[in-house]
Amino acid sequence: MSKIVITGGAGFIGSHIAESFAKDGHEIVIVDNLDPYYSVDLKRRNLDIVLKSGDATFINADVTDLERIKEIFDGTVDYVYHEAAQAGVRISVEDPFKPNRVNVLGTLNVLKASLDSNVKKVINASSSSVYGKVKYLPFDEQHPTEPVSPYGVSKLAAEHYCRIFYEVYGLPTTSLRYFTVYGPRMRPDLAISIFTRKMLVNESITVFGDGEQTRDFTYIDDVVEANKRLLDNRVTDGKVLNIGSKNQISVNDLIDNLRIITCSSSEVKYVDAQKGDAENTLSDVKLAQKLIGYEPIININKGLRKFVDWCTLDII
Ligand SMILES: NC(=O)c1ccc[n+]([C@@H]2O[C@H](COP(=O)([O-])OP(=O)(O)OC[C@H]3O[C@@H](n4cnc5c(N)ncnc54)[C@H](O)[C@@H]3O)[C@@H](O)[C@H]2O)c1
């Protein structure tokens, strides 16, 4: 069994990875500053779930504080899953400095502390936002990276630091480019969460743009499985891998599906597209299939049903 630090482990994806590793019997240390970007109560609930699921502890710390992170990475940590970030495209358009500080400086600090304390591998949460302008679809890892938001730029810079720490300093790292992740405990600022909660109470929903933009939505269980396959994996060192569902759906079709599942009569309002939003995303996951045997298994209909079930209980 290994000692695994999960930065951002009170958040959506990090808490699922932490819970799964804790249930497998690993020693988990969550490092998170409970940033109030969204409900701190939700993060505390995530933490409760993880702390009850096995040998897990929580340290309230900020990844932008190098000395504090060095103290925590005390030479006994085997693996680091770096999920802490200022996520969200729109907030990055409003304030590009915070994602730069947390996602770029924070990642650099995590890499430096990992290197100094002989961590065996760092698995970094990256994003399909690094692709930005679409030259062709699906995106394979060779697709040009021309982000269209400050968030995408910060995630791309973090990825490059991970690669450089492998190539220059010999610290094994892998970055996973997640394609819009959804499922229980998901961030409340993401479209699926906003739409579902409003549809369950028949409130009107707002779509930015004409709703024909498409997304590759990836269910959380598939993302957790991909992360777990990275533990102690050498062939992925220094690489970036797409982690998506291999399927795309338009926002309008997503709304139609949710309407059926929730039996909602919510009205849909269309407003101007937002700056920084990607037009279309679709993953090519052949590299992850080849290197870690990754295969997404939860399709959008099954995933949405699981999410709506969870949301219904959460609202009650
Ligand atoms: N959710 C998605 O669809 C998606 C898609 C692509 C990439 N990602 C990436 O996956 C990772 C996890 O995303 P998520 O959706 O779970 O987000 P999240 O906001 O739920 O989780 C991030 C966690 O990081 C913590 N955090 C923020 N700033 C911190 C700091 N300075 N120090 C320590 N902790 C800090 C937050 O408190 C939060 O608990 C992020 O790196 C994000 O960029 C997410």
Side-chain angles (χ1 to χ4, degrees), residues 11-13 32-33 35 38 43 62-63 151 155 181 187:
F12 166 41
I13 300 172
D32 198 300
N33 72 343
D35 186 286
Y38 68 82
K43 292 180 186 182
D62 190 324
V63 291
Y151 170 70
K155 296 304 281 186
V181 188
R187 291 201 335 258

Side-chain angles (χ1 to χ4, degrees), residues 176-308:
L176 298 181
R177 289 177 179 163
Y178 302 151
F179 284 67
T180 322
V181 188
Y182 72 104
R185 317 208 288 255
M186 79 185 286
R187 291 201 335 258
D189 59 322
L190 291 172
I192 289 182
S193 182
I194 298 171
F195 293 164
T196 304
R197 286 170 192 280
K198 294 209 167 192
M199 282 186 173
L200 284 170
V201 291
N202 289 318
E203 278 179 16
S204 66
I205 58 175
T206 304
V207 171
F208 297 104
D210 63 5
E212 286 307 304
Q213 63 273 39
T214 58
R215 289 285 175 279
D216 181 329
F217 290 108
T218 315
Y219 194 70
I220 183 66
D221 292 3
D222 289 328
V223 171
V224 170
E225 180 59 28
N227 274 283
K228 291 179 75 174
R229 284 169 184 252
L230 265 288
L231 194 75
D232 205 19
N233 177 296
R234 294 275 71 89
V235 292
T236 53
D237 288 353
K239 296 198 164 45
V240 294
L241 305 179
N242 285 338
I243 299 299
S245 76
K246 298 193 287 183
N247 283 298
Q248 61 181 168
I249 178 172
S250 72
V251 171
N252 287 332
D253 286 345
L254 171 77
I255 291 169
D256 287 345
N257 283 11
L258 281 173
R259 198 187 286 289
I260 293 166
I261 298 169
T262 57
C263 303
S264 175
S265 56
S266 290
E267 179 199 349
V268 182
K269 291 181 186 159
Y270 292 90
V271 298
D272 287 347
Q274 297 256 307
K275 281 205 169 77
D277 280 0
E279 274 174 43
N280 299 299
T281 67
L282 177 62
S283 63
D284 174 329
V285 299
K286 286 192 202 80
L287 187 62
Q289 280 170 331
K290 185 175 154 203
L291 297 185
I292 58 170
Y294 169 73
E295 190 58 57
I297 55 173
I298 309 284
N299 69 32
I300 188 79
N301 282 320
K302 193 171 173 193
L304 287 179
R305 282 183 191 281
K306 280 154 105 45
F307 177 65
V308 171

Side-chain angles (χ1 to χ4, degrees), residues 27-286:
E27 182 187 348
I28 304 301
V29 180
I30 289 179
V31 176
D32 198 300
N33 72 343
L34 303 181
D35 186 286
Y37 156 62
Y38 68 82
S39 162
V40 174
D41 275 355
L42 184 55
K43 292 180 186 182
R44 289 196 188 283
R45 274 192 279 156
N46 294 345
L47 271 179
D48 277 351
I49 294 168
V50 178
L51 298 182
K52 282 182 190 140
S53 54
D55 180 0
T57 49
F58 166 59
I59 299 175
N60 190 330
D62 190 324
V63 291
T64 64
D65 181 347
L66 179 60
E67 291 316 309
R68 182 86 175 98
I69 297 303
K70 277 183 161 181
E71 259 170 46
I72 297 166
F73 290 30
D74 55 0
T76 64
V77 176
D78 296 306
Y79 298 98
V80 174
Y81 280 77
H82 179 45
E83 307 297 312
Q86 176 54 61
V89 164
R90 288 180 193 151
I91 191 176
S92 81
V93 173
E94 283 160 28
D95 173 12
F97 290 93
K98 188 175 174 196
N100 186 69
R101 202 170 60 249
V102 180
N103 305 354
V104 184
L105 175 64
T107 302
L108 192 53
N109 288 346
V110 167
L111 290 167
K112 177 74 174 116
S114 300
L115 181 69
D116 290 353
S117 63
N118 294 317
V119 164
K120 292 179 188 158
K121 184 163 175 124
V122 176
I123 293 95
N124 173 52
S126 188
S127 167
S128 59
S129 303
V130 302
Y131 293 116
K133 292 182 186 161
V134 180
K135 308 286 188 226
Y136 58 84
L137 286 175
F139 290 130
D140 56 24
E141 290 81 354
Q142 274 71 52
H143 186 283
T145 46
E146 214 175 323
V148 291
S149 65
Y151 170 70
V153 172
S154 72
K155 296 304 281 186
L156 185 58
E159 258 188 21
H160 281 302
Y161 274 125
C162 290
R163 180 178 56 77
I164 288 302
F165 265 69
Y166 175 63
E167 292 176 0
V168 177
Y169 306 105
L171 173 72
T173 62
T174 303
S175 289
L176 298 181
R177 289 177 179 163
Y178 302 151
F179 284 67
T180 322
V181 188
Y182 72 104
R185 317 208 288 255
M186 79 185 286
R187 291 201 335 258
D189 59 322
L190 291 172
I192 289 182
S193 182
I194 298 171
F195 293 164
T196 304
R197 286 170 192 280
K198 294 209 167 192
M199 282 186 173
L200 284 170
V201 291
N202 289 318
E203 278 179 16
S204 66
I205 58 175
T206 304
V207 171
F208 297 104
D210 63 5
E212 286 307 304
Q213 63 273 39
T214 58
R215 289 285 175 279
D216 181 329
F217 290 108
T218 315
Y219 194 70
I220 183 66
D221 292 3
D222 289 328
V223 171
V224 170
E225 180 59 28
N227 274 283
K228 291 179 75 174
R229 284 169 184 252
L230 265 288
L231 194 75
D232 205 19
N233 177 296
R234 294 275 71 89
V235 292
T236 53
D237 288 353
K239 296 198 164 45
V240 294
L241 305 179
N242 285 338
I243 299 299
S245 76
K246 298 193 287 183
N247 283 298
Q248 61 181 168
I249 178 172
S250 72
V251 171
N252 287 332
D253 286 345
L254 171 77
I255 291 169
D256 287 345
N257 283 11
L258 281 173
R259 198 187 286 289
I260 293 166
I261 298 169
T262 57
C263 303
S264 175
S265 56
S266 290
E267 179 199 349
V268 182
K269 291 181 186 159
Y270 292 90
V271 298
D272 287 347
Q274 297 256 307
K275 281 205 169 77
D277 280 0
E279 274 174 43
N280 299 299
T281 67
L282 177 62
S283 63
D284 174 329
V285 299
K286 286 192 202 80

